[in-house]
Amino acid sequence: MANDTMITVVGNLTADPDLRYTPAGAAVVDFTVASTPRSFDKAANEWKDGDALFLRCSAWREYAENIAASLTKGMRVVVQGRLVQRSYTPRDGGDQRTVIELQVEEVGPALRYAKAQVVRAPRGGSQQANTASFGTPANDPWGNNPQTPQNGTQATDQWGGPSNVAPF
């Protein structure tokens, strides 16, 4: 890990993420991010686009399912991960090919020109897994389970806000 090549790319998804499952049942998602550098040409007094970088990205298991459910074509995203090189022989024969891909560690929408509402995904389908580190669901700052106390006022979390709103 110390010698891994880690990079961060900001760009737009070229298509919806492609979610599929291995014969063993593991989820894998692939998507491509297009990142185009821009620079200001002082002589022409305008912005110029450079050559686009198209980077293939992949993620596995529950993370893959969350990505496929959250991201769509055209979304601006920030992706951080490990650059990996792999070689393969095409199914139709031919010469061996080498590709460079990004194994995703983190991905999310870029919020410079957009807003996002985060919904925490349950772990393992068990409500108990959600409450292990936060106590009851009403005290979970990521939860979507607002509860109204008996007196009709809105429940508040430990930061003094509504119990169903994250503190940031």
Side-chain angles (χ1 to χ4, degrees):
M1 283 234 193
N3 293 327
D4 289 345
T5 304
M6 302 293 285
I7 66 166
T8 302
V9 177
V10 179
N12 296 75
L13 295 184
T14 61
D16 287 341
D18 179 27
L19 178 66
R20 61 188 193 290
Y21 293 87
T22 66
V28 62
V29 70
D30 294 308
F31 58 94
T32 300
V33 175
S35 180
T36 307
R38 298 192 84 197
S39 58
F40 190 74
D41 183 351
K42 289 182 182 180
N45 199 31
E46 64 183 5
W47 288 96
K48 302 260 181 173
D49 287 339
D51 293 332
L53 166 71
F54 293 90
L55 187 60
R56 194 75 177 154
C57 305
S58 64
W60 290 83
R61 296 175 187 75
E62 188 175 347
Y63 197 19
E65 292 172 335
N66 290 346
I67 291 170
S70 302
L71 303 178
T72 58
K73 177 181 178 177
M75 288 181 96
R76 189 151 182 85
V77 293
V78 179
V79 185
Q80 187 261 333
R82 235 178 337 297
L83 272 183
V84 294
Q85 176 178 309
R86 67 179 178 86
S87 298
Y88 69 96
T89 303
R91 290 183 183 156
D92 62 355
D95 295 335
Q96 187 174 17
R97 296 182 184 175
T98 301
V99 295
I100 296 176
E101 299 175 326
L102 186 64
Q103 287 182 348
V104 177
E105 289 289 324
E106 297 292 336
V107 62
L111 301 178
R112 181 178 304 269
Y113 305 111
K115 294 180 183 178
Q117 182 175 356
V118 177
V119 177
R120 187 172 184 179
R123 291 178 157 247
S126 165
Q127 181 66 11
Q128 190 169 9
N130 268 346
T131 61
S133 62
F134 291 103
T136 64
N139 295 331
D140 182 355
W142 292 100
N144 291 319
N145 185 13
Q147 295 182 355
T148 304
Q150 296 277 340
N151 63 6
T153 62
Q154 185 174 14
T156 58
D157 59 17
Q158 64 191 22
W159 298 280
S163 65
N164 64 332
V165 176
F168 17 77

